Structure formats: C-alpha cells, structure tokens
Amino acid sequence: MAEGKTPDEGDEKTPDEGAVEKAGRWIADLAEKVMVNGVGPVTGSVTWAEDRLSRRQGDAYRAPDDEERRSSEDMKDDIDAVISRLIKESVAAAGTQGFVTGLGGLITAGVTIPANVAASLAINMRMAGSIAHLRGWDIRDPHVRTVAMMLAIGMSAQNVLASFGVKVGQKLGEQMIKKIPITVIRAINKKAGTHLVAKYGTKRAAITLAKGIPILGGIVGGAVDAGATAVIGRATDKALREGTLRAEEPE
C-alpha cells in the first residue's frame, strides 16, 4: 500500500482489478439468468414478453414458433403497447420493496455491489431483454445479451462497441453484432464490470445513489429510482427498434 494512502482512498479512486473481473462475470451471468431463464419466481424476458403479448391479443395470439404468427410489422401497434406496459411494470417493480427482497440471495453479486442495486439491475435486465425480443432480437445469443445488458445498466452500447473497434454506422444490425469476436464480448463484459464497481462498488454506494439519481418518492426498500428504470426502458426501446442498434441511442 502506498504511504499515506488509506485503503478506502485507494479502493474508491481506482476499482480493484479482481473486483472488476468478478463484476464483469457476474453482470454477464445475471443477464443470461434474467433474460433467458428468469431468476427464482421471476420469469425470463421472452416468457414475460410473450405472456403480455398474448394477453393483449387474446385468441389472435400465436407463439413465436407458430407459422401463423403475424410479422412484427403487422403487430406493431400491439408490440408498442406491450413494451409500454412492460416498462410501466418494471418501474413499479423498481419501487416495490417486496420484489427486491423477494429475489434475495438469488442475485447476490459476490462483489461489493449492494443487494438493492443488484435487484434493480435484474429488473432492468429483464425489461431490456423483453424489449429486445419484441423488437426482433435473439436474446439467446450472448452478443445480443451483451448489447441489451449495456443498455440496461445505462451504458452507451454504440460508444462502447466503437471503442473496441466495431464499425458503428447509423444502424447496426443483429447479424453484424453476432460477428463480433467472443473475445471482444468478454472484454465488453469486463468494461461493464468496471462501470458497476466504479459507480456502486464502494461502501458509500447508498450515498452516491441518493445524490446522483433523481429519487421518485425516496429510496423505497433500497430499490434504485423507479424514474431511472423508466428512462432506461424508453432508451432501450429507441435503440433497438427494427432489429437494429441505432446511432441516436442516448448516452
């Protein structure tokens, strides 16, 4: 340890490399859990999205593997309405103590990210995965999950991809994203870990959240601000429309 520097000072200025690696793996694992399989009582993104779509369409609903299912363009009004509902439900969940505490150890980070932040990230991950699915993305693919993951934690997917040498034009399609080497995907996951540890991974995380995020009715049960979830939901939908990652995606 450098002379005159306390452990707290060192940890808070530069995220520990071990914590970054661990957070990067955790965030990628969390994305897979909540988007593909679900976590505990919380269903996965596709199941959730399809359930809400079936409720809206009633007898006209057809499952994704049904040959009679209408195209996304033909279902545009329904999809827009369902995504709006998913965002509203996620906002409500982000402000509900019971939802957060109900997840408990199922999403324990194993790093210094507070449990309430981890639970809120799970909410946003499922929402981003559901939006991606309804907009035509295959979230079973790790490349797609990484894009949705970045949006869910408030990173600019366009900017991050560009920083790793991915040529980003006005729109970046799913097939182009799937050509990104898996080594780059792992590096992006690590960058997401850096983002999480730097933003939340200190003992002052609760203070940082309280000062840095507009609070809707205070921190309810330790949940991340419901207003932030609404912003992330709208930004994710804007970024992933028409099966492309759009350049106008917000920072």
Side-chain angles (χ1 to χ4, degrees), residues 35 48 79-92 94 120-135 137 147-155 224-241 244-246 248-251:
M35 291 184 196
W48 186 39
I79 288 175
D80 287 347
V82 170
I83 288 176
S84 178
R85 175 174 177 172
L86 294 176
I87 293 173
K88 289 178 181 177
E89 289 187 17
S90 298
V91 169
S120 295
L121 287 172
I123 292 168
N124 292 344
M125 288 276 197
R126 184 174 72 148
M127 175 180 65
S130 295
I131 292 171
H133 168 71
L134 290 172
R135 292 302 181 195
W137 296 77
V147 170
M149 173 195 73
M150 286 189 285
L151 293 167
I153 64 177
M155 299 175 74
V224 168
D225 176 32
T229 294
V231 170
I232 286 173
R234 291 192 296 268
T236 298
D237 186 38
K238 184 178 180 181
L240 299 180
R241 283 176 177 269
T244 60
L245 180 64
R246 293 163 170 260
E248 66 263 33
E249 167 204 341
E251 290 285 348

Side-chain angles (χ1 to χ4, degrees), residues 26-233:
W26 173 78
I27 196 73
D29 288 345
L30 180 65
E32 181 174 4
K33 286 178 181 177
V34 302
M35 291 184 196
V36 179
N37 301 314
V39 179
V42 180
T43 57
S45 293
V46 173
T47 301
W48 186 39
E50 290 296 324
D51 175 73
R52 296 306 186 262
L53 182 61
S54 69
R55 293 187 189 188
R56 176 173 175 84
Q57 294 183 332
D59 292 340
Y61 171 77
R62 296 293 182 273
D65 58 353
D66 192 320
E67 293 181 356
E68 296 184 3
R69 183 177 170 107
R70 289 181 289 157
S71 68
S72 296
E73 184 60 33
D74 288 340
M75 294 191 296
K76 183 180 181 304
D77 289 345
D78 287 339
I79 288 175
D80 287 347
V82 170
I83 288 176
S84 178
R85 175 174 177 172
L86 294 176
I87 293 173
K88 289 178 181 177
E89 289 187 17
S90 298
V91 169
T96 301
Q97 183 178 4
F99 182 95
V100 174
T101 56
L103 291 175
L106 294 170
I107 58 168
T108 299
V111 290
T112 52
I113 299 169
N116 62 302
V117 174
S120 295
L121 287 172
I123 292 168
N124 292 344
M125 288 276 197
R126 184 174 72 148
M127 175 180 65
S130 295
I131 292 171
H133 168 71
L134 290 172
R135 292 302 181 195
W137 296 77
D138 180 9
I139 61 171
R140 294 170 299 181
D141 187 277
H143 298 73
V144 173
R145 285 200 303 272
T146 290
V147 170
M149 173 195 73
M150 286 189 285
L151 293 167
I153 64 177
M155 299 175 74
S156 168
Q158 284 273 350
N159 289 348
V160 173
L161 289 171
S163 72
F164 281 92
V166 179
K167 293 183 179 180
V168 178
Q170 183 64 23
K171 296 180 180 180
L172 188 61
E174 182 174 352
Q175 293 309 311
M176 294 177 65
I177 287 174
K178 288 184 176 181
K179 292 180 181 179
I180 299 172
I182 197 66
T183 52
V184 173
I185 293 299
R186 293 191 184 112
I188 292 172
N189 291 341
K190 180 179 177 181
K191 189 176 182 71
T194 303
H195 175 85
L196 289 177
V197 173
K199 191 170 185 180
Y200 303 121
T202 75
K203 66 181 183 181
R204 298 182 183 179
I207 297 174
T208 301
L209 283 172
K211 290 184 177 179
I213 299 177
I215 302 299
L216 183 63
I219 300 179
V220 182
V224 168
D225 176 32
T229 294
V231 170
I232 286 173

